[in-house]
């Protein structure tokens, strides 16, 4: 029998090395070019992706499902409300069963511990489509987008203005891998959980405008993430002043980009003139979830392949 290669999961941004990231970025450029030129590229014929959703999604479902089809494979959508997971089946058992029937699994859930337990019992690669603590696919797409518009992000400064959420923690892991710095500004009472921070490549600013000073990329997210809806009124009050507006962008580098993982609330975390303005790359950023995840799936299933 052939020797089975070790399973590689993608559960948080630190799971890949810089060399691996650079390889997958190169593949994403090639795969995106093929997509734009209507070139058929089916390296994953007869491979199946199972997508397990416990949290709602637009971009994650569409990018993974469309991406797997475009690679020649199939994608199956499972919502926990419609599966045995929603009726109390242990996560460990679900990992055992699902991984015997497919080639790769994406999970979008609440606690990071859930996806860690699932992956520990899976026979196939597992990808984090979002947890409360990490959102590695989105930050990977963001970095790919920066590469497209400005080149390498190494040595640059990224400003994070807003909630200390899963996006921020993935950005901090990315800073350690790629060698850039993060300026962080969160309101009092919504500080970073330092148990999720494993780098010193950040500086905290009480004033969100100061965090944007000289930044090459300004980034934010909604003030109330999924699962925290009951806190919405309190958050709207606490986050007053943390909107990314034209005044804050004016303090960033002249060629700074603006990013937002979407969905966005114009007039709350970002002003309309910024998200719809010339420095915004949010639509490229959203589209690039498709291309970077296709390259990631290819890498996790096939390893390094010759350029095609």
């Amino acid at each position: 029998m052939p020797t089975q290669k070790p399973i590689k999961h993608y559960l948080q941004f630190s799971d890949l090395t810089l060399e691996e990231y650079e390889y997958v970025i190169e593949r994403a450029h090639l795969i995106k070019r093929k997509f734009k030129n209507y070139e058929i590229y089916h390296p994953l014929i007869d491979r199946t992706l199972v997508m397990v959703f416990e949290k709602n999604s637009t971009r994650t479902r569409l990018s993974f499902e469309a991406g797997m089809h475009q690679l020649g494979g199939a994608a199956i959508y499972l919502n926990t409300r419609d599966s045995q997971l929603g009726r109390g089946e242990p996560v460990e058992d679900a990992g055992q069963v699902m991984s015997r029937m497919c080639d790769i699994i994406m999970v979008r859930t609440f606690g990071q511990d859930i996806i860690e337990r699932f992956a520990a019992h899976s026979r196939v690669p597992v990808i984090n489509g979002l947890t409360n603590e990490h959102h590695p696919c989105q930050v990977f797409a963001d970095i790919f987008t920066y590469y497209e518009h400005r080149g390498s992000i190494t040595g640059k400064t990224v400003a994070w203005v807003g909630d200390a959420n899963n996006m921020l923690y993935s950005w901090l892991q990315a800073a350690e891998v790629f060698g850039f710095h993060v300026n962080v500004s969160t309101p009092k009472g919504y500080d970073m959980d330092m148990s999720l921070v494993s780098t010193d490549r950040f500086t905290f600013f009480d004033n969100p405008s100061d965090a944007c000073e000289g930044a090459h990329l300004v980034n934010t997210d909604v003030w109330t993430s999924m699962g925290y809806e009951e806190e919405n009124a309190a958050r709207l009050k606490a986050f007053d002043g943390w909107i990314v507006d034209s005044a804050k962008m004016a303090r960033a580098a002249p060629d700074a980009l603006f990013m937002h993982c979407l969905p966005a609330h114009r007039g709350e975390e970002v002003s309309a003139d910024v998200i719809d303005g010339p420095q915004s790359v949010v639509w490229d950023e959203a589209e690039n979830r498709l291309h970077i995840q296709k390259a990631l799936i290819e890498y996790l299933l096939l390893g390094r392949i010759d350029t095609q």
Side-chain angles (χ1 to χ4, degrees):
M1 294 180 64
T3 302
Q4 185 177 9
K5 69 175 184 177
I7 299 170
K8 190 167 192 64
H9 302 299
Y10 189 62
L11 307 182
Q12 51 187 300
F13 201 92
S14 58
D15 283 344
L16 297 185
T17 66
L18 177 59
E19 183 183 18
E20 289 176 306
Y21 274 113
E22 289 176 338
Y23 167 79
V24 177
I25 286 172
E26 179 184 344
R27 294 297 302 171
H29 281 301
L30 182 147
I31 290 171
K32 182 174 182 177
R33 186 168 63 249
K34 288 180 178 294
F35 175 79
K36 295 295 186 180
N37 292 335
Y38 296 95
E39 296 179 31
I40 294 174
Y41 180 59
H42 288 167
L44 299 183
I45 290 175
D46 204 31
R47 301 293 185 102
T48 303
L49 163 71
V50 166
M51 307 179 298
V52 182
F53 285 88
E54 194 168 16
K55 284 190 173 186
N56 294 334
S57 167
T58 299
R59 280 152 292 277
T60 296
R61 178 177 178 181
L62 183 58
S63 56
F64 273 104
E65 189 163 348
M68 194 64 181
H69 286 298
Q70 290 164 16
L71 292 173
I76 298 173
Y77 171 82
L78 288 179
N79 190 297
T80 51
R81 293 189 299 271
D82 305 321
S83 69
Q84 295 298 339
L85 276 171
R87 300 179 66 242
E89 181 173 23
V91 171
E92 294 81 359
D93 292 0
Q96 288 270 15
V97 172
M98 291 183 193
S99 64
R100 287 170 178 256
M101 299 184 185
C102 66
D103 301 282
I104 190 165
I105 301 170
M106 186 282 299
V107 179
R108 183 177 172 95
T109 186
F110 289 91
Q112 181 73 11
D113 65 301
I114 296 173
I115 197 170
E116 298 279 356
R117 287 160 51 204
F118 188 101
H121 292 80
S122 173
R123 293 184 170 197
V124 301
V126 176
I127 297 174
N128 182 349
L130 176 144
T131 61
N132 290 345
E133 295 85 356
H134 299 284
H135 199 358
C137 288
Q138 180 64 61
V139 172
F140 196 178
D142 294 357
I143 289 174
F144 178 62
T145 305
Y146 190 89
Y147 267 67
E148 283 190 320
H149 286 267
R150 297 289 186 265
S152 174
I153 199 169
T154 299
K156 305 299 185 185
T157 298
V158 174
W160 179 267
V161 176
D163 193 19
N165 63 10
N166 49 13
M167 284 291 295
L168 173 57
Y169 299 124
S170 289
W171 270 112
L172 290 170
Q173 288 193 355
E176 186 65 24
V177 173
F178 280 87
F180 58 85
H181 196 80
V182 183
N183 289 349
V184 180
S185 183
T186 61
K188 286 183 172 56
Y190 297 89
D191 310 295
M192 291 186 290
D193 179 351
M194 295 308 295
S195 70
L196 297 174
V197 179
S198 56
T199 183
D200 60 0
R201 290 181 174 274
F202 71 93
T203 303
F204 185 82
F205 294 84
D206 291 322
N207 186 324
S209 294
D210 293 342
C212 297
E213 183 68 37
H216 303 94
L217 170 59
V218 179
N219 214 321
T220 191
D221 194 3
V222 295
W223 291 342
T224 306
S225 298
M226 284 181 288
Y228 299 91
E229 287 82 3
E230 292 183 359
E231 303 176 10
N232 189 55
R235 283 173 173 265
L236 287 176
K237 184 177 180 180
F239 282 75
D240 184 38
W242 265 261
I243 184 173
V244 176
D245 53 19
S246 57
K248 291 184 180 67
M249 290 301 298
R251 295 191 62 177
D255 64 344
L257 300 176
F258 171 77
M259 292 190 187
H260 190 307
C261 62
L262 302 178
H265 300 138
R266 290 166 175 80
E268 289 186 15
E269 74 275 5
V270 60
S271 61
D273 61 333
V274 169
I275 193 170
D276 299 319
Q279 292 174 282
S280 174
V281 292
V282 297
W283 314 122
D284 292 342
E285 178 188 2
E287 178 192 336
N288 280 337
R289 287 288 301 278
L290 172 70
H291 308 301
I292 207 69
Q293 287 163 190
K294 286 165 71 174
L296 176 65
I297 291 169
E298 179 192 68
Y299 176 63
L300 295 178
L301 286 179
L302 304 181
R304 291 176 180 266
I305 61 178
D306 294 333
T307 300
Q308 299 180 31

